Amino acid sequence: MDIETFLQNESQHPTDYRCGFVAIVGRPNVGKSTLMNHLIGQKISITSKKAQTTRNRVTGIYTDDTAQFVFVDTPGFQTNHRNALNDRLNQNVTEALSGVDVVVFVVEAMRFTDADRVVLKQLPKHTPVVLVVNKIDKDKAKDKFALEAFINDVRQEFEFTASEAVSAKHGLRIANLLELLKP
Ligand code: GDP
Ligand code: MG
């Protein structure tokens, strides 16, 4: 693309074109990396059954006609032991959260633990936090009433701006989530 075409394309963006930073947080294994891979449509983060695979903050970018999302994947909060590595991981999380426009707090459907609560306690108070209930494809989440009750219970734990139930693995309701994050 030559510079004139580029500038012409740029000027065609609507004046309300939005751009923002999105931090994805949650305890290990809730599906943060899987979610980010689906959000940006390419595999650049690391997913694994083993906790703590993602040791560095990874940034992905998703652009569409009306908005640009800059995603930050985080290693998750390490709560069991204090050691140099875990301190670094926690520091990365704190760094990732400072100055973002919206935080996405991911939990696993039908499973809210003390480790989730620890992460919630460390979230910024003046930044919008969107609750994402992931893994709704799992058998235990198939009961719609039970899932709704679970989401309501988690919503009691924190003042979330909004919530969405998704399956990162199967790409379910990911588009809904992006729409919800736009404002
Ligand atoms: P992270 O530690 O939060 O980054 O979690 P990962 O993205 O590494 O995922 C942890 C495990 O959960 C992996 O085995 C994923 O395949 C699995 N997983 C992630 N999302 C889903 C989902 O929507 N449904 C199911 N069934 N499994 C998922
Ligand atoms: Mg990860």
Side-chain angles (χ1 to χ4, degrees):
M1 187 192 299
D2 61 37
I3 185 70
E4 266 167 37
T5 315
F6 175 78
L7 290 173
Q8 206 178 342
N9 287 348
E10 285 294 289
S11 67
Q12 278 163 7
H13 283 312
T15 48
D16 61 348
Y17 190 83
R18 306 186 74 88
C19 177
F21 281 83
V22 184
I24 301 178
V25 304
R27 67 166 166 82
N29 286 318
V30 290
K32 299 178 297 296
S33 299
T34 309
L35 177 65
M36 196 183 75
N37 287 336
H38 265 274
L39 286 167
I40 63 170
Q42 49 178 299
K43 278 210 167 281
I44 67 160
S45 191
I46 307 161
T47 67
S48 164
K49 279 195 188 343
K50 222 171 128 231
Q52 298 182 34
T53 313
T54 319
R55 290 194 176 176
N56 287 308
R57 126 182 210 191
V58 179
T59 303
I61 299 178
Y62 173 82
T63 309
D64 72 11
D65 292 342
T66 58
Q68 180 168 68
F69 305 80
V70 181
F71 290 102
V72 180
D73 189 26
T74 65
F77 290 69
Q78 310 303 318
T79 53
N80 294 338
H81 309 285
R82 254 206 95 170
N83 59 39
L85 173 62
N86 287 348
D87 283 354
R88 272 260 350 254
L89 291 171
N90 280 334
Q91 205 192 327
N92 282 350
V93 173
T94 308
E95 279 168 14
L97 287 182
S98 68
V100 303
D101 298 291
V102 59
V103 174
V104 171
F105 173 67
V106 185
V107 298
E108 190 177 325
M110 314 311 288
R111 188 153 174 248
F112 191 84
T113 69
D114 284 343
D116 294 299
R117 216 165 259 126
V118 167
V119 177
L120 265 189
K121 286 221 172 75
Q122 300 185 50
L123 296 186
K125 297 284 178 285
H126 303 289
T127 305
V129 179
V130 170
L131 169 66
V132 168
V133 177
N134 187 32
K135 308 197 186 184
I136 56 166
D137 59 286
K138 285 201 155 180
D139 280 346
K140 56 184 177 170
K142 293 253 161 75
D143 179 338
K144 292 281 167 269
F145 292 105
L147 180 62
E148 210 170 292
F150 173 82
I151 295 170
N152 284 333
D153 285 349
V154 178
R155 292 197 74 136
Q156 302 300 309
E157 301 274 341
F158 192 90
E159 215 174 299
F160 296 104
T161 309
S163 66
E164 185 61 85
V166 306
S167 168
K169 196 173 184 176
H170 298 279
L172 285 175
R173 302 187 62 83
I174 301 295
N176 300 59
L177 175 60
L178 282 169
E179 284 309 311
L180 199 142
L181 291 176
K182 262 181 198 174

